[in-house]
Amino acid sequence: MDSKAFFKLSYGVYIISTSADGRESGCVINTLTQVTSSPARLSIALNKENYTFKLIETSGTFSAVVLSDDVEMDLIRRFGFQCGKDVEKYDGIPHGRDSLYNPYPTEGVCARFTCRVVSSMDVGTHMIIVGEAVEAEVLDSQTPALTYSNYHLKKNGTTPPKAPSYQADTDKVTGWRCSVCGYILESETLPPDFICPVCGKDASYFVKL
Amino acid sequence: MDSKAFFKLSYGVYIISTSADGRESGCVINTLTQVTSSPARLSIALNKENYTFKLIETSGTFSAVVLSDDVEMDLIRRFGFQCGKDVEKYDGIPHGRDSLYNPYPTEGVCARFTCRVVSSMDVGTHMIIVGEAVEAEVLDSQTPALTYSNYHLKKNGTTPPKAPSYQADTDKVTGWRCSVCGYILESETLPPDFICPVCGKDASYFVKL
């Protein structure tokens, strides 16, 4: 199997959010897909370790925004590279609330949806969640959506997030680097079930240093 | 709900194929998504009326190719705008066979996968099918993948397929036109459960003439 074949798949970049039990959180995904039109239903795939996933299990609803091509990398870093269990991701950033009280970012986004969960399926490390759209709104009709390939270009043009592990002199480190957020695991071996503690990606996203 | 919000989602364009009971077929979809990495699993959403879907129910396997940006519109028309029940879609076009005997087109494509179905979920008009990748190959590393938005540009630059319904003088017709393949339903009303007999899209894809 040539893993480069998977890089030929095209995606957008989205932030999924919800609120439950007095907490709220969101995360970055690339797997938002419209699966039916009548009624309009959207599917997402979320890692089961993901904090937003755990909140959606309780709330049964989620908001989704489509990131714009001109989105600030800071917004992606805020929602994609840290865990909502430890950080209030919505603190201090412009956001709205949908009719089901889910928050959603309002800058750097071009469309939003609100969904009620109608079914879900366990697919291993991830759950596929299907939601029926109850709201859909264009927030910026001028700016195109950010594609996943443009996201990778954008990401490579910026400094990776600062955390103790990033401050190591990587020339001298033996270990594994997360190709999504840059986190480094200083270890000879990479456990197959390892999950990046910063961005939640699994072992397949890690490259040997 | 503003249906234009759904146009902000980004996809690629793919052909899914299988063979079962001495028949083989394929269809065009935009919903191929990698849902897990360890192991590599892909999901697709197929209309339950789709002939390829019915064959996959029997075979339990499918091939998937990623269409290239330079793919001929004829290939999309062949696989997307007609039903495999009536037409041998693979007759006369260059194709390969994967290790599970599924055919796949070899021109105008940049990567291919072979999947064994591991689970499925009924989501209304469509089924989400999850397959575990057993083969993955880059077929053309130079040409980028066709995006769904470029597909729409490509489509609008070409003549719609010829069928009796297209030969009508549309200026004088009252009815509904499928926005995907151009099929016209000559009727005052559009039944909500109507499925395009040419390309299989549901009523939401139809616009009033």
Side-chain angles (χ1 to χ4, degrees), chain B residues 82-137:
Chain B
Q82 49 186 0
C83 181
K85 217 179 302 177
D86 314 318
V87 183
E88 292 292 347
K89 295 187 182 182
Y90 274 99
D91 271 5
I93 62 148
H95 61 280
R97 296 247 169 223
D98 63 24
S99 63
L100 301 178
Y101 201 67
N102 297 310
Y104 61 90
T106 48
E107 284 187 8
V109 301
C110 57
R112 72 167 189 94
F113 305 94
T114 296
C115 294
R116 282 187 199 280
V117 175
V118 292
S119 53
S120 62
M121 171 166 54
D122 190 326
V123 289
T125 53
H126 288 60
M127 290 286 279
I128 294 178
I129 297 168
V130 176
E132 193 156 315
V134 294
E135 293 174 19
E137 186 183 5

Side-chain angles (χ1 to χ4, degrees), chain A residues 45-58:
Chain A
L46 286 182
N47 192 303
K48 288 187 272 184
E49 298 302 313
N50 179 300
Y51 184 62
T52 305
F53 166 69
K54 293 180 200 296
L55 290 183
I56 292 175
E57 278 192 303
T58 304

Side-chain angles (χ1 to χ4, degrees), chain B residues 144-198:
Chain B
L146 177 66
T147 61
Y148 198 51
S149 42
N150 282 353
Y151 155 68
H152 282 290
L153 296 177
K154 194 184 272 272
K155 179 167 63 76
N156 292 336
T158 62
T159 317
K162 289 290 174 212
S165 54
Y166 304 109
Q167 290 159 7
D169 178 348
T170 57
D171 287 350
K172 295 177 190 157
V173 169
T174 37
W176 300 80
R177 187 206 302 264
C178 173
S179 62
V180 174
C181 75
Y183 173 83
I184 292 167
L185 174 71
E186 293 187 40
S187 162
E188 271 302 313
T189 56
L190 178 72
D193 59 351
F194 189 74
I195 300 290
C196 177
V198 177

Side-chain angles (χ1 to χ4, degrees), chain A residues 29-168:
Chain A
I29 67 163
N30 65 344
T31 54
L32 183 69
T33 306
Q34 184 174 10
V35 290
T36 67
S37 299
S38 308
R41 288 179 172 168
L42 296 162
S43 72
I44 56 177
L46 286 182
N47 192 303
K48 288 187 272 184
E49 298 302 313
N50 179 300
Y51 184 62
T52 305
F53 166 69
K54 293 180 200 296
L55 290 183
I56 292 175
E57 278 192 303
T58 304
S59 70
T61 74
F62 59 89
S63 70
V65 288
V66 181
L67 299 188
S68 299
D69 193 53
D70 62 1
V71 65
E72 296 287 335
M73 193 59 207
D74 272 352
L75 189 76
I76 300 179
R77 200 175 285 127
R78 171 185 282 258
F79 281 93
F81 295 179
Q82 49 186 0
C83 181
K85 216 179 306 178
D86 315 317
V87 183
E88 291 293 347
K89 294 187 181 182
Y90 274 98
D91 272 4
I93 63 149
H95 61 280
R97 295 249 169 222
D98 63 23
S99 63
L100 302 178
Y101 202 67
N102 298 310
Y104 61 90
T106 48
E107 283 186 9
V109 303
C110 58
R112 72 167 189 94
F113 305 94
T114 295
C115 294
R116 280 187 200 280
V117 175
V118 292
S119 52
S120 62
M121 172 166 53
D122 190 326
V123 290
T125 54
H126 287 59
M127 289 286 279
I128 294 179
I129 297 168
V130 176
E132 193 155 316
V134 293
E135 292 174 21
E137 185 182 5
V138 174
L139 299 170
D140 177 351
S141 59
Q142 302 304 313
T143 316
L146 177 66
T147 62
Y148 197 52
S149 40
N150 281 353
Y151 154 68
H152 282 289
L153 297 176
K154 193 184 272 272
K155 179 167 62 77
N156 292 334
T158 62
T159 316
K162 289 289 175 214
S165 54
Y166 304 109
Q167 289 160 8

Side-chain angles (χ1 to χ4, degrees), chain A residues 160-182:
Chain A
K162 289 289 175 214
S165 54
Y166 304 109
Q167 289 160 8
D169 178 348
T170 56
D171 287 350
K172 293 177 191 159
V173 169
T174 36
W176 300 80
R177 185 206 302 265
C178 173
S179 62
V180 174
C181 75

Side-chain angles (χ1 to χ4, degrees), chain A residues 2 5 8 10-11 14 32-37 41 66 113 119 121 123 125-126 136 140 143 145 202 204-205, chain B residues 2 5 8-11 14 32-37 41 66 113 119 121 123 125-126 136 140 143 145 202 204-205:
Chain A
D2 181 356
K8 292 286 190 180
S10 299
Y11 307 100
Y14 313 99
L32 183 69
T33 306
Q34 184 174 10
V35 290
T36 67
S37 299
R41 288 179 172 168
V66 181
F113 305 94
S119 52
M121 172 166 53
V123 290
T125 54
H126 287 59
D140 177 351
T143 316
D202 61 43
S204 69
Y205 288 87
Chain B
D2 181 356
K8 292 287 190 181
L9 303 175
S10 299
Y11 306 101
Y14 312 99
L32 183 69
T33 307
Q34 183 174 10
V35 290
T36 66
S37 299
R41 288 180 172 168
V66 181
F113 305 94
S119 53
M121 171 166 54
V123 289
T125 53
H126 288 60
D140 176 351
T143 317
D202 60 44
S204 69
Y205 287 87

